[in-house]
Each structure stands twice: as structure tokens, then as C-alpha cells.
Amino acid sequence: MDVADQLVRSADDGDVNGVSRWLGQGAVVDAPDGDGRTALDRAAQKGHADVVRRLVEAGADLEQQAGEYRESTPLCLAASRGHTAVVGVLLDAGSRTGAQGRLGYVPLVLAATTGDEGHPETVALLLDRGVDINAVMKHRTALDWAVRFGQEEMVHRLLGRGAVPSAETLATAREHLGCHPERRRKTERIALALLSVDIAPATGREPGTEAGNLA
């Protein structure tokens, strides 16, 4: 096993002393292991904040390709798994928060919608750091995706932080109801939450029309 593999293994294990040791022995900070994964990639995925901090200090590329298929970035990996401390380290180091990676992932959207109800603490951190709550990934905002996935708690959290629903957001709720009639009451509650705030842009319809379609 060469020094690059040893560095990545230490990062994957959360062994910050091992990471420092291999870096001190000449390991290139972003050198991939035999699987094509780097130390920062593995540490961000596993949630090892101290290791991530050490790698960033050593000059690791914040926007490097990451993930099993090189489709992501370290920040997106951490956000999608709710590794809030890692997200904080990466933000402190200057990681971008807009669409990134080969597939145009948006960290906030991933944090809000991965898992049953997303990762509230990670979402809160991103928003506290000034991330655009209405940023779009694949033509949908975090709120749109949360509605699409029927994530009632996250919908309320995002609305409470200033997310702006649109006519398309309400249409997504209707679509979710059609696909999941067994979740009717939950979807109706989501629709009522959406209708409790201003809808933008104006649709030319009365809000009651949308509500009626979901009732």
C-alpha cells in the first residue's frame, strides 16, 4: 500500500494523527487511492471534521470531484449526510454554496431533502451563513423538493426561514397527492402551510382554487 492509500485510509478512519503523519512523509494531499477517492472526499463523506480541517490546512482542493462516481463535491457529500461540523469547516475555508459538481448539486437542497426529513441542523447552518434559500437545483428549490418528497417538517422549517413558494410549488403538492393518495392528510397539511404565506409569482388564480384542488 503506497503513501496515498495510507493517507486516504487514515482520513476514512478519522485518524487525524495518521493523516498528519502521512502528509509529513510526503503524501500529496489530493492524491487518490486505488479506488480514485481522495482523503478529503472520504473524510467529508464520513463526517470527520478534524480530519477535514487538517486536510484543508494542507491545501486540499475544496471543489475537487468527490463521491463514488466523482459526481459530487466534499461540501455536497457532507451536506447530504448531515455532517454539520464538516459543512462548517468547509464553509469557513471558503467552499462555494451554489450549484456544483458534475451534476450541479446544491448543498442546501441536499441537506434539506436527504433522508426522511432532511438534516435540520445542517440546513440551519447553511442558512445562517447566508445561503440563498431559493437556490434552484434541477429547476426546483429546496422547498419544492421537500414538498415533492412529502417532508412536512422540512417544509415548515423552510417556510419559517423565508422560503418563497410559487404556483409550481403548489402544483408539486398536487402531483405528490396524485402519486401518494395514502398520504392525503399529510399533503393537505403541507398545502395549507404553503397557502399561509405569499405565493410568488402571482398566478392569476385565487389561493382558494389551489386549496380546493388539494382538499
Side-chain angles (χ1 to χ4, degrees), residues 48 90 105:
H48 301 314
L90 293 171
Y105 287 145

Side-chain angles (χ1 to χ4, degrees), residues 57-178:
E57 290 171 352
D61 179 6
L62 299 177
E63 297 188 24
Q64 62 183 268
Q65 293 180 334
E68 184 177 0
Y69 302 105
R70 319 299 291 159
E71 78 286 3
S72 193
T73 64
L75 180 59
C76 285
L77 284 180
S80 68
R81 287 161 174 77
H83 298 321
T84 307
V86 172
V87 170
V89 171
L90 293 171
L91 292 177
D92 288 342
S95 288
R96 293 187 308 109
T97 57
Q100 56 197 261
R102 182 164 55 84
L103 300 180
Y105 287 145
V106 173
L108 176 64
V109 175
L110 297 178
T113 59
T114 305
D116 290 340
E117 284 292 345
H119 304 290
E121 291 184 2
T122 308
V123 168
L125 175 63
L126 287 165
L127 294 175
D128 289 345
R129 295 296 188 90
V131 170
D132 180 7
I133 197 169
N134 295 309
V136 172
M137 185 178 91
K138 297 182 180 178
H139 310 295
R140 291 187 175 92
T141 65
L143 178 62
D144 293 333
W145 284 111
V147 170
R148 186 177 183 84
F149 295 144
Q151 295 171 310
E152 185 177 0
E153 291 182 16
M154 185 54 67
V155 168
H156 282 283
R157 288 179 182 276
L158 292 170
L159 290 173
R161 291 298 298 261
V164 180
S166 66
E168 288 74 19
T169 315
L170 291 168
T172 297
R174 290 201 306 275
E175 179 184 349
H176 186 270
L177 178 60

Side-chain angles (χ1 to χ4, degrees), residues 29-52:
V29 66
D30 287 331
D33 64 5
D35 294 326
R37 307 290 292 275
T38 69
L40 182 58
D41 179 357
R42 291 288 194 179
Q45 179 173 306
K46 288 292 188 69
H48 301 314
D50 288 342
V51 173
V52 169

